[in-house]
Amino acid sequence: MSHVRHLYVHLPFCAYRCGYCDFVTLVGRRGDHGSYAAAVLSELELERPLLTTELETIFVGGGTPTYLERDALTGLLAALPPASELTIEANPETVTRELADGLRRAGVTRVSLGAQSFQPHLLEVLDRHATPDIVRRAFYHLRDASFDNISLDLIYGIPGQSTADLERDLEAAVALQPEHLSLYELEAKPGTRFTHAHGEELGRQAEAMEDYLERVVDVLRSAGYRWYETANFCLEASRAGGRDLRSLHNLAYWRGRDYLGLGIGAVSTVSDRRWQNAPRLRPYLEALAERRRPPREVEPLPPEVRLRERAMLGLRLDQPLLLASVDGALDGQALRRLERLALVERHGEDGGATIELTERGRFVGDAVAAELIA
Ligand SMILES: C[S@@+](CC[C@H](N)C(=O)[O-])C[C@H]1O[C@@H](n2cnc3c(N)ncnc32)[C@H](O)[C@@H]1O
Ligand code: SF4
């Protein structure tokens, strides 16, 4: 059963809570950081038989992993199995030169920095504590610590944002020359205080999303980035000494590979099962202190569900999908209709036939995939 090559570790603690965020997070709780890191390592021991000895990727996400109390973070990173790519998420205000050096020493190969925006008025709407200068300083600390694979997260569709604001954000991000950029449409969950506060304006922003994405793709391509996934861009290999700078961890998700998730709220997908750990801290700590699996919800994953997911996610990539690998998940009539509309292209014959979204199809990718997948 030791076949899983991708590991996700969830570190939920944050210094504060941003109004728009719907991830499993906990504010503060400095006193719990050490026992949480120990619990994650106990969970790793319980699940280790699922993993290959050399992993391809590990992604330490949050929450704010770089907010974890220093000894707890160092101890955790040191105890993780070896992996070719080890990514950690960081909030700008937590990144000092000392932290950056520590991450490098701990074997981290890639840092994903949550910039979100470079406009003070938009950072304020998002409740962010980092100013644009703090974001830049964090980036330089990482570079000075010789990180050569840094990703920036930006959000667009923020209440009060204009196309000019978005262009300024893209310009500021590109000026830092990150290897990778993630551009997320703001998702505001109904019923939250954030949605209440910005209701009408969120509606206006939602209508502009497609135009925003066109702008994003246009600007980033001109700056030498490859639009390799709906929301993700990496420096073209030709500008990066031939390096493939895509997020290998996220590629594994998009290709429908198995992965193991550790920590509260973490999801795992292994063979014909998916489970999600309960998002509650105390029961997690208590179970693992006794070397028991934490409370979790398990669901069966029939092959047809995995196939549909593989098709849905695979179509987000800029590479053709082997038709045979998702056969049975697609609606043949819808495929022919979408081909006529020049939203999908089919190439090759029989066993070697592939499909991919056209450029136009990629801008409305979710709608196309929803129609295409039976
Ligand atoms: C799990 S968060 C952790 C990153 C880190 N804590 C931070 O805030 O910088 C990863 C990324 O998800 C994105 N994100 C979080 N909430 C979002 C939302 N409601 N809509 C769109 N993107 C969101 C942000 O760009 C964020 O950097
Ligand atoms: S710091 Fe990141 S994870 Fe924490 S609440 Fe804000 S967006 Fe969410």
Side-chain angles (χ1 to χ4, degrees):
M1 267 300 270
S2 328
H3 70 279
V4 179
R5 298 160 192 276
H6 306 281
L7 177 67
Y8 174 78
V9 178
H10 192 71
L11 302 183
F13 306 102
C14 293
Y16 52 88
R17 184 159 181 89
C18 314
Y20 59 91
C21 179
D22 191 36
F23 286 87
V24 174
T25 61
L26 296 166
V27 174
R29 315 271 190 117
R30 304 289 290 179
D32 287 324
H33 293 193
S35 37
Y36 185 82
V40 165
L41 291 176
S42 297
E43 194 185 6
L44 172 62
E45 278 322 302
L46 288 174
E47 305 300 352
R48 203 182 274 269
L50 293 172
L51 299 174
T52 51
T53 29
E54 286 264 331
L55 296 180
E56 285 182 25
T57 66
I58 302 179
F59 193 103
V60 181
T64 307
T66 48
Y67 175 67
L68 204 73
E69 190 272 313
R70 193 60 57 85
D71 289 345
L73 182 60
T74 312
L76 177 71
L77 292 173
L80 291 177
S84 314
E85 178 187 275
L86 171 53
T87 302
I88 193 166
E89 281 182 336
N91 274 39
E93 64 278 11
T94 61
V95 180
T96 57
R97 177 61 201 270
E98 190 207 349
L99 177 107
D101 284 335
L103 295 179
R104 200 83 191 102
R105 275 197 303 276
V108 173
T109 63
R110 188 172 179 274
V111 180
S112 172
L113 190 63
Q116 322 310 356
S117 172
F118 288 87
Q119 316 293 308
H121 69 288
L122 299 179
L123 288 168
E124 199 176 310
V125 171
L126 293 176
D127 297 330
R128 299 292 290 183
H129 288 199
T131 61
D133 280 344
I134 291 176
V135 178
R136 287 190 191 91
R137 200 180 58 202
F139 190 92
Y140 295 137
H141 283 322
L142 293 168
R143 271 286 185 260
D144 290 345
S146 32
F147 276 103
D148 63 0
N149 198 351
I150 308 177
S151 181
L152 289 181
D153 286 345
L154 289 179
I155 293 183
Y156 62 93
I158 305 166
Q161 189 177 27
S162 63
T163 306
D165 282 325
L166 176 60
E167 285 169 350
R168 278 191 282 271
D169 272 347
L170 293 169
E171 196 183 318
V174 165
L176 293 172
Q177 296 184 283
E179 282 71 24
H180 188 279
L181 284 153
S182 298
L183 269 292
Y184 297 118
E185 281 184 11
L186 178 66
E187 273 182 49
K189 216 178 161 205
T192 59
R193 205 145 43 94
F194 186 81
T195 305
H196 237 266
H198 302 287
E200 250 177 58
E201 174 58 8
L202 283 168
R204 198 183 70 77
Q205 292 292 340
E207 281 175 19
M209 289 298 189
E210 211 181 304
D211 289 343
Y212 285 157
L213 181 58
E214 283 188 24
R215 208 63 215 108
V216 165
V217 170
D218 199 28
V219 171
L220 294 184
R221 275 198 178 141
S222 309
Y225 289 86
R226 167 178 170 191
W227 183 26
Y228 76 95
E229 195 271 345
T230 310
N232 286 279
F233 299 79
C234 65
L235 261 191
E236 288 284 359
S238 57
R239 299 202 178 207
R243 291 167 72 206
D244 179 359
L245 289 166
R246 292 175 296 175
S247 160
L248 301 182
H249 187 82
N250 288 332
L251 265 184
Y253 294 148
W254 296 319
R255 287 176 168 157
R257 297 255 191 102
D258 281 357
Y259 55 89
L260 176 68
L262 304 175
I264 62 168
V267 177
S268 302
T269 300
V270 180
S271 305
D272 56 358
R273 286 195 316 153
R274 172 167 296 152
W275 63 91
Q276 178 170 24
N277 289 342
R280 289 165 52 228
L281 182 64
R282 289 289 150 225
Y284 182 81
L285 296 180
E286 281 162 21
L288 285 153
E290 295 167 9
R291 304 266 183 272
R292 280 186 292 109
R293 293 206 158 87
R296 59 199 205 179
E297 276 186 19
V298 186
E299 57 169 317
L301 267 187
E304 60 275 16
V305 174
R306 286 211 78 168
L307 210 58
R308 274 203 296 275
E309 288 183 356
R310 196 164 291 148
M312 182 78 84
L313 295 169
L315 287 168
R316 296 176 65 89
L317 297 171
D318 67 348
Q319 287 180 318
L321 197 56
L322 198 61
L323 205 49
S325 72
V326 290
D327 207 11
L330 305 184
D331 172 341
Q333 275 189 1
L335 175 55
R336 284 186 290 280
R337 195 167 53 247
L338 292 163
E339 275 184 281
R340 280 197 301 276
L341 291 170
L343 294 169
V344 176
E345 273 172 359
R346 197 190 319 214
H347 297 285
E349 298 283 323
D350 304 325
T354 59
I355 58 162
E356 62 188 303
L357 302 194
T358 60
E359 176 88 354
R360 210 154 69 79
R362 293 188 77 195
F363 284 106
V364 286
D366 285 347
V368 173
E371 194 165 339
L372 190 56
I373 290 158

